[in-house]
């Protein structure tokens, strides 16, 4: 098992467990860690990354909750066999959370109610139009 | 007291001249890294010396592996590795010193000792009294770790180490707790190292315990340990 | 200067005057610091007073006739005990024991350098405190030695002045033929013409004992002070300096002020030229693979180290200081007077036996084969308890270590004493003086324990008792009849001396036993 390519930064302000989750999730989603690859146990990973056991344990717990990894009793920790569904599920959850926080912040700043709805609808239309135009362009290109 | 607790402190009072350390209750279970932090003179060294059986207590009790370390130094110190950067060692050549010390620990692991000596880059030909401060600290670390103690007690190990030395120290500490039966107590001023590797914290100030618990819970996610300590007024 | 104006430090131009001023300042500082340390003061007063009879003899100046004594004719000293035992045998080396005692006296004085040159925490580098003072190392060590020598001078002057009238007759002779020392004759004729003869002689001898004695002692103290490490190199330098000084004295070079100044100056220069400040490159040993040993359990290992350690690490000492002199003695006994008409072999054997006693005694200070005193310790920080503290992380009880130290001290010193008795027997002398030495065995063991545990008071008391027992009492008993006059029929036999000696020995050897009993919080654990 090679060492995982995870770089932690103390100055970034992001908690260590969060950095581990993000980087491992990135490795898994991008395909650099194949499904059913064995991951180091949290006792093995802690001295590699120079973080406490609790940190690694928490990161693994979050990744497992997101469905990206699976702890098989007695055998170790593995990258989940089916990432697509789990990954998509997690990505959607993340997207929803982003929208929620953006809306909440916009409301805080004074954009609310009708003005907010109008703005959001305009944005969605613009996205759809852009998407339709690219579709047309692709169809054109095929002709 | 939980039967598996490595250290159990109850109602501890230690007096040193005008200074008084009070720890009402503190437990250390296996498989943990516990960081002991606080300003100079807070009592960290006193507490660790009491745990290692180097200092008698004036009231209360300290139990390590279920035994009183002051009354049973032989049994307790056979599985407790203590390190302090200014503790006295025999003025022999390093290789002789390690050879001499190895005879006192049935659990001494020669391969591990050699690996630690290489990892910490200690020149075994030098005399222990002629080592620089950093080398002396690293030597004492090796002596404390090489016999695979159940409990490793480190008093300011990072004080004299440079960057690579500190990294190797953290690596070694975390490797100790790969065995879920072993624990490490570390007191240090290098707070960002402590918050990285410590599962639990014990915060002392002027002989009193200010906080005790899991690092993440005590410190929180939006501030560093240094900021937390300043907020608690323990700076 | 006042008014609260602060100025930045200025770089002075390099000049000899600055060096001298800096040296003078350091000298004054050393005097002041020594005055505040009672241990150092006591040590210096003791060294000064106890060596009062010595300096004159060491200079090769006959006390009665105030003229130079040629080598090898010796002077009868007023000694008792082991020195007289060896003296009876060392018929060809009359100055040996005096030289030895003087060297020890110089060591004591150098030991009092503690306060003005405090020890650093990491003795790897120089053990002189604050090496960054704006002072050259040579000027520094000269200033420090002069500072402590000043106190010795004061002590000696006090003893000679107050006790001199009584002791004067003994030490300086009351023979009307008493000649005024030639080099200071002008003092008597020019400055003190009206003084009666004994007083003039007394004054001249006083001057001899203080001024010339200082010229003799200064290089010796300097030699001890500049030896930062008692290893081969340091000891060789010490030995060479001592041989030069005493060699000069034996040919009479120290009997005249001019030549004494020359000898003192040149030996001091030799010592200072390559001043060893302790920061020497470590000798390169070949790197051996680190080997470890199987542990039979901590207590068993401790016992094994206690018994075998000294033999393993100090076998060369036991060979050189134990077997060699004994072999010499046996050989000298075996060869008849025809093979050795001048008795040189006998004297050599006697000298070896003389040196063997203190050498083997010192083995008591190396329990487990390890030195009790860490490198770079100055006398001010003796009895630090570093030895037991070195064991603090190991799984052994401190009480076990202390008991092992005491047992080793007893065995080592006991073997040394048995060897002394054997030597005296084989060489055919009286056993009495050797029997007198028995309390030294217990005193050494007690000193070893105090050093190991860090008990300064009892340790110093034991050292004082040893000095009293070894030097003070024999000299006192020798001089007392002279001082008190024949009115008191003080028998010169050994019984009163033996009783006093054993009493003093007991007083010094009993208190350290308290450490063997239990486990108090040693004072060394504070801080």
């Amino acid at each position: 098992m090679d060492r995982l390519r995870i770089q932690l930064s103390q100055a970034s302000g992001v908690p260590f467990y969060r950095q581990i989750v993000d980087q491992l999730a990135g490795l898994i989603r991008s395909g650099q860690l194949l499904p059913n690859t064995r991951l180091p146990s949290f006792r093995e990973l802690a001295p590699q990354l120079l973080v406490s056991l609790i940190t690694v344990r928490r990161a693994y717990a979050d990744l497992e909750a997101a469905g990206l990894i699976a702890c098989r009793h007695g055998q170790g920790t593995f990258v989940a066999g089916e990432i697509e569904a789990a990954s998509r599920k997690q990505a959607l959850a993340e997207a929803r959370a982003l929208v929620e926080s953006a809306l909440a912040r916009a409301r805080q700043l004074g954009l609310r109610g009708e003005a907010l709805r109008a703005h959001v609808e305009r944005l969605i239309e613009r996205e759809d139009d852009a998407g339709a135009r690219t579709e047309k362009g692709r169809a054109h290109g095929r002709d | 007291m939980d039967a598996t607790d490595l250290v159990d402190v109850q109602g501890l009072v230690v007096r040193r001249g005008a200074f008084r350390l009070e720890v009402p209750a503190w437990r250390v279970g296996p498989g943990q890294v516990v960081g002991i932090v606080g300003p100079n003179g807070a009592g960290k060294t006193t507490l660790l010396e009491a745990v290692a059986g180097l200092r008698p207590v004036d009231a209360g009790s300290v139990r390590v592996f279920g035994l009183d370390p002051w009354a049973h130094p032989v049994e307790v110190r056979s599985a407790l590795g203590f390190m302090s950067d200014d503790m006295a060692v025999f003025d022999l050549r390093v290789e002789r010193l390690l050879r001499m010390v190895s005879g006192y620990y049935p659990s001494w692991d020669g391969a591990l000792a050699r690996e630690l000596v290489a990892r910490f880059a200690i020149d075994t030909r030098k005399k222990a009294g002629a080592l620089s401060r950093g080398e002396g600290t690293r030597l004492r670390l090796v002596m404390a770790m090489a016999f695979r103690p159940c409990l490793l007690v480190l008093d300011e190990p990072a004080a004299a180490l440079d960057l690579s030395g500190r990294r190797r120290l953290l690596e070694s500490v975390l490797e100790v707790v790969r065995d879920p039966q072993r624990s490490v107590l570390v007191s240090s001023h290098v707070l960002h190292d402590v918050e990285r590797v410590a599962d639990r914290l014990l915060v002392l100030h002027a002989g009193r315990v200010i906080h005790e618990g899991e690092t993440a819970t005590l410190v929180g996610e939006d501030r560093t340990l240094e900021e937390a300590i300043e907020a608690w007024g323990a700076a | 200067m006042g008014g609260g104006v602060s100025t930045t430090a200025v770089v002075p131009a390099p000049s000899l005057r600055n060096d001298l001023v800096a040296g003078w300042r350091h000298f004054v500082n050393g005097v002041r610091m020594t005055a505040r340390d009672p241990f150092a003061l006591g040590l210096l007063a003791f060294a000064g007073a106890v060596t009062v009879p010595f300096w004159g003899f060491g200079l090769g100046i006959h006390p009665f006739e105030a003229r130079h004594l040629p080598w090898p004719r010796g002077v009868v000293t007023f000694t008792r005990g082991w020195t007289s035992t060896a003296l009876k045998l060392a018929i060809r080396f009359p100055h040996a024991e005096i030289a030895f005692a003087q060297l020890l006296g110089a060591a004591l004085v150098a030991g009092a350098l503690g306060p003005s040159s405090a020890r650093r925490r990491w003795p790897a580098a120089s053990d002189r405190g604050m090496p960054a003072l704006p002072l050259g190392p040579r000027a520094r060590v000269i200033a420090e030695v002069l500072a402590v020598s000043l106190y010795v001078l004061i002590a000696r002057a006090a003893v000679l002045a107050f006790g001199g009238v009584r002791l004067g007759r003994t030490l300086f002779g009351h023979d009307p033929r008493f000649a005024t020392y030639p080099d200071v004759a002008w003092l008597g004729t020019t400055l003190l013409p009206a003084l009666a003869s004994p007083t003039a002689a007394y004054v001249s001898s006083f001057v001899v004992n203080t001024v010339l004695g200082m010229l003799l002692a200064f290089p010796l103290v300097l030699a001890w002070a500049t030896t930062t490490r008692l290893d081969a190199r340091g000891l060789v330098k010490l030995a060479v300096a001592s041989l030069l000084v005493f060699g000069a004295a034996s040919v009479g070079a120290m009997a005249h002020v001019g030549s004494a100044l020359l000898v003192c100056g040149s030996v001091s220069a030799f010592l200072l030229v390559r001043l060893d400040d302790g920061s020497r490159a470590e000798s390169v040993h070949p790197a051996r693979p680190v080997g470890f040993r199987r542990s039979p359990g901590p207590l068993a290992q401790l016992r094994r180290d206690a018994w075998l350690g000294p033999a393993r690490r100090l076998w060369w000492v036991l060979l050189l200081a134990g077997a060699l002199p004994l072999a010499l003695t046996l050989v000298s006994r075996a060869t008849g007077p025809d093979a050795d008409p001048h008795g040189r072999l006998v004297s050599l054997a006697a000298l070896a036996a003389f040196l063997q006693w203190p050498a083997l005694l010192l083995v008591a200070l190396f329990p487990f084969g390890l030195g009790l005193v860490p490198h770079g310790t100055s006398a001010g920080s003796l009895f630090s308890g570093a030895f037991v503290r070195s064991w603090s992380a190991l799984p052994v009880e401190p009480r076990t270590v202390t008991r092992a130290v005491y047992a080793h001290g007893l065995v080592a010193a006991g073997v040394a004493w048995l060897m002394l008795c054997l030597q005296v027997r084989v060489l055919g002398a009286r056993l009495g003086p050797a029997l007198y030495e028995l309390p030294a065995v217990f005193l050494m063991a007690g000193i070893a324990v105090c050093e190991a545990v860090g008990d300064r008071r009892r340790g110093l008391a034991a050292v004082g008792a040893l000095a009293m027992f070894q030097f003070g009492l024999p000299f006192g008993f020798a001089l007392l009849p002279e001082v008190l006059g024949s009115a008191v029929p003080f028998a010169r036999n050994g019984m009163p001396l033996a009783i006093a000696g054993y009493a003093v020995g007991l007083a010094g050897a009993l208190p350290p036993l308290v450490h063997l009993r239990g486990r108090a919080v040693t004072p060394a654990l504070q801080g």
Side-chain angles (χ1 to χ4, degrees), chain A residues 18 31 38 40 48 54 66 69 73 83 86 90 95 102 124 129 143:
Chain A
R18 194 76 244 146
R38 189 157 189 274
Q48 282 179 25
I54 282 190
I69 67 174
H73 234 354
I83 307 177
Q90 201 210 7
I124 294 176
D129 285 345
D143 289 351

Side-chain angles (χ1 to χ4, degrees), chain C residues 48 82 136 327 429 472 494:
Chain C
W82 64 290

Side-chain angles (χ1 to χ4, degrees), chain C residues 335-356:
Chain C
T335 57
D338 2 291
D340 182 29
H342 297 281
R344 286 223 177 86
L345 198 55
V346 177
S347 350
L348 192 63
L351 183 65
F354 171 86
L355 293 173
Q356 180 188 50

Side-chain angles (χ1 to χ4, degrees), chain A residues 25-75:
Chain A
L27 288 175
I28 292 173
R29 280 206 207 99
S30 69
Q32 287 173 55
L33 276 177
L34 299 171
N36 292 317
T37 318
R38 189 157 189 274
L39 293 171
S41 75
F42 59 86
R43 289 191 187 274
E44 284 161 5
L45 189 57
Q48 282 179 25
L49 300 178
L50 296 186
V51 288
S52 63
L53 295 169
I54 282 190
T55 307
V56 183
R57 244 190 294 216
R58 199 168 162 190
Y60 273 24
D62 280 2
L63 286 168
E64 200 176 0
L68 286 170
I69 67 174
C71 290
R72 283 178 219 151
H73 234 354
Q75 291 174 8

Side-chain angles (χ1 to χ4, degrees), chain B residues 23-47:
Chain B
V23 179
W26 183 47
R27 300 224 294 255
V28 176
Q32 293 176 355
V33 177
V34 181
I36 299 165
V37 296
N40 284 331
K44 308 191 289 288
T45 301
T46 312
L47 176 62

Side-chain angles (χ1 to χ4, degrees), chain B:
Chain B
M1 167 178 146
D2 192 351
T4 60
D5 276 342
L6 294 181
V7 178
D8 186 19
V9 171
Q10 299 289 341
L12 177 74
V13 175
V14 181
R15 268 183 279 264
R16 240 175 72 177
F19 173 75
R20 187 187 152 98
L21 169 72
E22 265 186 46
V23 179
W26 183 47
R27 300 224 294 255
V28 176
Q32 293 176 355
V33 177
V34 181
I36 299 165
V37 296
N40 284 331
K44 308 191 289 288
T45 301
T46 312
L47 176 62
L48 291 180
E49 282 177 351
V51 167
L54 298 175
R55 186 174 282 283
V57 304
D58 293 301
S61 76
V62 177
R63 293 283 176 268
V64 178
F65 315 131
L67 300 169
D68 180 0
W70 176 256
H72 301 103
V74 179
E75 292 84 357
V76 168
R77 288 210 277 265
S78 292
L80 184 153
F82 178 78
M83 176 261 158
S84 165
D85 71 342
D86 63 351
M87 73 185 206
V89 289
F90 305 110
D91 191 14
L92 300 168
R93 281 218 299 275
V94 170
E95 58 191 2
R96 276 232 169 100
L97 177 64
L98 289 175
R99 198 188 138 77
M100 184 195 162
V101 168
S102 67
Y104 288 84
Y105 296 108
S107 59
W108 184 273
D109 183 346
L112 175 64
R114 273 183 219 106
E115 192 209 312
L116 287 173
V117 165
R119 180 190 294 185
F120 285 108
I122 300 173
D123 187 354
T124 55
R125 295 168 297 177
K126 285 194 181 173
K127 282 202 138 181
L131 294 174
S132 70
R133 202 164 159 219
E135 284 173 309
T137 303
R138 301 202 301 265
L139 172 66
R140 286 157 178 79
L141 273 171
V142 172
M143 282 169 59
M145 290 187 194
F147 66 100
R148 297 198 179 276
C150 266
L151 182 65
L152 187 61
V153 179
L154 307 176
D155 188 8
E156 299 285 347
L161 294 182
D162 61 5
L163 189 60
S164 73
R166 290 212 308 267
R167 285 191 74 84
R168 300 207 179 99
L169 167 68
L170 294 182
E171 219 177 296
S172 307
V173 163
L174 287 166
E175 272 180 17
V176 167
V177 288
R178 278 179 67 168
D179 180 344
Q181 300 304 316
R182 302 164 71 188
S183 285
V184 181
L185 305 181
V186 184
S187 91
S188 182
H189 281 300
V190 187
L191 294 175
H192 60 86
D193 278 356
V194 173
E195 72 180 313
R196 260 181 105 118
V197 301
D199 299 317
R200 300 183 66 89
L201 287 179
L202 179 72
V203 184
L204 295 174
H205 181 65
R208 295 262 185 304
V209 176
I210 297 196
H211 281 288
E212 197 268 321
E214 277 195 17
T215 315
T217 321
L218 289 180
V219 174
E221 275 182 29
D222 51 355
R223 57 181 181 176
T224 63
L225 177 57
E226 202 173 317
E227 289 160 357
I229 286 188
E230 270 180 48
W232 294 327

